[in-house]
Amino acid sequence: MKLNTKSRYAVMALADMAVFSRNNAVSLRDISLRQGISLLYLEQIFLRLKKNNVVKSVRGINGGYILVKSPKDLKISDILLALDQKVKTVGCKKESKKSCNGKSTKCITHHFWDELDIYINSFFENKKLSDLLKIERQEYK
Amino acid sequence: MKLNTKSRYAVMALADMAVFSRNNAVSLRDISLRQGISLLYLEQIFLRLKKNNVVKSVRGINGGYILVKSPKDLKISDILLALDQKVKTVGCKKESKKSCNGKSTKCITHHFWDELDIYINSFFENKKLSDLLKIERQEYK
DNA sequence: CAAAAACTTGACTATTTTAGTCGGGTATAT
DNA sequence: ATATACCCGACTAAAATAGTCAAGTTTTTG
């Protein structure tokens, strides 16, 4: 059960921004160097973050990205949502008539997986970007 | 963030056994028919469940598998463990000196992912096979 | 104005993982 | 005997992942 790297890097990069931004735009180049993430990959990730209104961009020299919300208001679930990283632990299609494994009834464990999804989602819903920084902040200042 | 089908089917199959076993071995053929899971795939799954002592087998005619523990003592985490389905949401290698992204320090979000893993694991640790059946039992009896 | 820094975007690709299948066994109840 | 059911390693097609690449556009600053 893994999170994809896009989501992980997105959270890392945004955490980096929260630490290093002094009300100015943070360039992907800087994030790339500090966090050891490929610049080209970061570009792809930030495209999505921008489209989903998690960050806004400033072009040109001294440009970069700026967090739309303050870290204490930015939920981790917002970040994952921007990257299509759905917490959908199993693939039973709830909507179709034949719901699970082609049977007409829900699969025997269906309720359990729903519960799991809700459980995990609530973790991401309740964590803010600022929560991530509390512990590790010192190392980076 | 997905669980693989092996793990999902394992839980389904064991739940099926818990419901349909009357102290006799349950054949994979029956499970396959009831749950709509490929027999060949079930064999592969049960091989691992057996190796990890979740089930024991009875060979020959009227053979099949038997749960080693009673459903109310069998933790879901035991099942996932048997299938190598580790809850390790991100790939930072804790053990190596260079821990995350080749940096010498832990990545900025490392603690967060650890927390997430622990959170999810505790869900599986605290759920027993019998918990799954409480709600959906009726439909299958 | 020129040039450099930095964002923009779609397409492409190698690798890995997943979700199984296949073939050829062995054990045992009837 | 023989049918049923477990046993086990190897194989494979398809999908997902983790990026890279190419070719831009915009804006600041010297």
Side-chain angles (χ1 to χ4, degrees):
Chain A
M1 208 149 119
K2 265 187 189 156
L3 201 68
N4 61 20
T5 56
K6 275 200 180 86
S7 300
R8 173 155 74 98
Y9 290 164
V11 174
M12 282 178 73
L14 293 169
D16 179 277
M17 285 175 70
V19 172
F20 287 101
S21 153
R22 294 284 178 275
N23 300 316
N24 51 313
V26 180
S27 74
L28 294 188
R29 193 174 159 278
D30 287 351
I31 297 174
S32 167
L33 290 172
R34 280 193 296 256
Q35 302 301 329
I37 305 168
S38 144
L39 176 60
L40 291 162
Y41 206 25
L42 276 176
E43 286 182 348
Q44 207 186 102
I45 291 165
F46 273 74
L47 206 67
R48 300 226 219 166
L49 291 174
K50 193 194 168 184
K51 260 182 192 142
N52 287 278
N53 213 38
V54 174
V55 295
K56 56 191 172 187
S57 65
V58 180
R59 300 188 94 168
I61 268 184
N62 296 324
Y65 288 92
I66 297 173
L67 291 169
V68 167
K69 293 179 180 178
S70 105
K72 71 180 205 312
D73 295 321
L74 180 59
K75 293 188 280 188
I76 303 301
S77 54
D78 293 334
I79 303 171
L80 301 187
L81 205 66
L83 291 157
D84 290 328
Q85 177 68 19
K86 296 224 182 62
V87 177
K88 186 90 187 46
T89 49
V90 305
C92 307
K93 293 166 235 140
K94 258 187 250 181
E95 290 73 19
S96 68
K97 258 180 231 169
K98 309 196 142 205
S99 54
C100 304
N101 292 329
K103 301 277 182 173
S104 58
T105 51
K106 282 186 189 177
C107 66
I108 194 167
T109 51
H110 198 111
H111 176 77
F112 177 69
W113 306 122
D114 280 349
E115 216 180 313
L116 173 59
D117 285 356
I118 291 166
Y119 179 83
I120 297 175
N121 270 312
S122 83
F123 184 86
F124 293 129
E125 279 281 328
N126 292 320
K127 286 279 176 184
K128 307 288 172 14
L129 187 58
S130 56
D131 295 328
L132 271 72
L133 307 177
K134 283 171 190 158
I135 291 146
E136 283 149 315
R137 169 152 251 159
Q138 303 84 312
E139 300 182 35
Y140 287 86
K141 281 218 162 164
Chain B
M1 209 147 118
K2 265 187 188 155
L3 202 67
N4 59 22
T5 56
K6 275 199 179 89
S7 300
R8 173 155 73 100
Y9 290 163
V11 173
M12 280 178 74
L14 294 169
D16 179 277
M17 285 176 68
V19 173
F20 288 100
S21 156
R22 295 281 177 277
N23 300 316
N24 51 314
V26 180
S27 74
L28 294 189
R29 192 175 159 280
D30 287 351
I31 298 175
S32 167
L33 290 173
R34 280 192 295 256
Q35 301 302 329
I37 304 168
S38 145
L39 175 60
L40 291 162
Y41 204 25
L42 276 176
E43 285 184 350
Q44 206 186 103
I45 291 166
F46 273 74
L47 209 66
R48 301 225 217 166
L49 290 174
K50 194 195 168 184
K51 259 184 192 141
N52 287 279
N53 212 40
V54 174
V55 294
K56 55 190 174 189
S57 65
V58 180
R59 300 187 94 169
I61 270 184
N62 297 326
Y65 288 94
I66 297 170
L67 291 170
V68 168
K69 293 180 180 178
S70 105
K72 70 180 205 314
D73 294 321
L74 180 57
K75 292 187 280 187
I76 303 301
S77 55
D78 293 334
I79 303 170
L80 301 187
L81 205 66
L83 291 157
D84 290 330
Q85 177 69 21
K86 296 224 182 63
V87 176
K88 184 90 187 46
T89 47
V90 304
C92 307
K93 292 165 236 142
K94 260 187 249 182
E95 291 73 19
S96 67
K97 258 180 230 167
K98 310 194 140 205
S99 53
C100 304
N101 294 329
K103 301 276 181 173
S104 59
T105 52
K106 282 185 190 174
C107 67
I108 194 168
T109 52
H110 198 111
H111 175 76
F112 177 69
W113 306 122
D114 281 348
E115 215 179 313
L116 173 60
D117 286 354
I118 291 167
Y119 179 83
I120 296 175
N121 271 311
S122 84
F123 184 86
F124 293 127
E125 280 282 327
N126 292 319
K127 287 277 175 184
K128 308 287 172 17
L129 187 59
S130 57
D131 295 328
L132 272 71
L133 308 176
K134 282 171 191 159
I135 291 147
E136 283 148 315
R137 168 154 253 158
Q138 303 84 311
E139 300 182 35
Y140 287 86
K141 280 218 164 164

